Structures are given as structure tokens and as C-alpha cells.
Amino acid sequence: REVKLEEGESTWWPEFYVASSLGAIISWYPSSLLPVSLSSGLMYTRLDGTSKTDSMHQNAGYLGIPLRVNYSFLNKDRMNLSASAGGRLDYCINIPDHAEINKIQSSAYVGLSADYMFSKNIGLRFGLGSDIYFVGRDKEKSPFQKTTPVGSASAAILIALP
């Protein structure tokens, strides 16, 4: 398969198609009157994809700190459904030897999550959404960041603070 790359473009950077995350999240509800919370924590994310030139499977692992705003639109018994938006700062801990990517990168996120609470403050959060990874730029060619949109799925232990 022949792939046309722009001048100076990395041959390694894959076309990522899924991000899977596991971690721990703390959610804080600033007011009991509003269905809004702020959440952060520590997440391990694995990006899977295929390289542009040789269709070889690639993956990269990141440790990241997300910061999100969540709006709860359905709350029944132990279940809570919410819409989320925010960002994450990641540090790459697992890349192939020939990779030409930054160790630190940022991403933006929008998605839906479902919380199942075992008690008032402890539960599990499952999320589906879309991340946009800001993967650097060529300063001579463009003032804008190169981005890579990726579908994402996540699961986390949830600690809810009143």
C-alpha cells in the first residue's frame, strides 16, 4: 500500500482508532443543588492504531491527569448518567523504539459516562466518548497544532466527594 506523506511528516505516527483507559477518579460536587461535578484523577491510557506506511499494528501507553466537568442528566438509585467535557495532560510511558512523538501531550475530551455507586461515596465510572490528541506541529508550516481524533472507552474507580 502506497501512502503519500507530507514533507517532514513522521512515517511512524499511526492512524489511531481507539483509546482504552483505566484508572481512579475523584469527583467533587460543589453544590447539592446543581447536577454539576468536577473530576480529576490518574488514568492509564493505551492508544491502538496502524502505522501510515506499512499497516503494522502500533500502540502507545500514557499516564495522564484528566480534568473534566460533568453534568448529570439522570440520577436513579445507585446509577447516574452524565455528559462530560474536559482535557487531559499525558506522559508517554510505552512507545515503540522508532517512534517520533513527544513524551508529554495534551488532549480534549467530550463524552457520556455512567456511574454505579456501591455506597454514597464509592463506585465505578464507565465512559464512552471522543478524544482529540494534540500531537505537535511544524512551526515553519503551520501555527496550528496537528490533531488526531480518537474514539475512547474508559473505566475507573470513582470516589465522590460531597
Side-chain angles (χ1 to χ4, degrees):
R1 164 182 116 152
E2 183 137 347
V3 176
K4 183 174 177 160
L5 299 174
E6 292 181 29
E7 184 179 330
E9 186 176 10
S10 169
T11 58
W12 175 84
W13 187 257
E15 297 291 330
F16 285 116
Y17 50 84
V18 68
S20 306
S21 299
L22 289 173
I25 295 291
I26 295 175
S27 237
W28 174 61
Y29 295 84
S31 169
S32 60
L33 302 175
L34 296 174
V36 175
S37 67
L38 299 174
S39 62
S40 187
L42 185 64
M43 300 293 286
Y44 170 78
T45 301
R46 179 181 164 142
L47 290 171
D48 287 302
T50 305
S51 69
K52 291 179 180 178
T53 55
D54 58 12
S55 298
M56 192 168 84
H57 180 78
Q58 304 283 342
N59 64 59
Y62 292 87
L63 276 180
I65 299 173
L67 181 59
R68 294 185 181 160
V69 175
N70 311 293
Y71 175 77
S72 177
F73 58 87
L74 181 62
N75 197 345
K76 294 272 188 182
D77 299 323
R78 294 175 180 249
M79 288 291 299
N80 178 38
L81 297 178
S82 59
S84 302
R88 186 174 63 225
L89 190 61
D90 292 304
Y91 179 77
C92 188
I93 59 172
N94 175 32
I95 56 174
D97 294 334
H98 57 284
E100 301 170 13
I101 60 175
N102 296 333
K103 283 279 203 179
I104 297 176
Q105 73 177 24
S106 59
S107 63
Y109 172 85
V110 63
L112 298 173
S113 63
D115 301 343
Y116 180 80
M117 303 304 290
F118 298 114
S119 69
K120 182 178 178 184
N121 298 94
I122 305 293
L124 290 176
R125 174 171 286 172
F126 301 97
L128 292 174
S130 181
D131 288 285
I132 296 178
Y133 288 86
F134 302 98
V135 295
R137 65 186 172 115
D138 181 346
K139 294 178 184 177
E140 293 175 6
K141 292 172 113 181
S142 170
F144 302 106
Q145 290 274 65
K146 180 179 175 184
T147 61
T148 301
V150 176
S152 65
S154 62
I157 295 171
L158 174 65
I159 300 171
L161 303 176

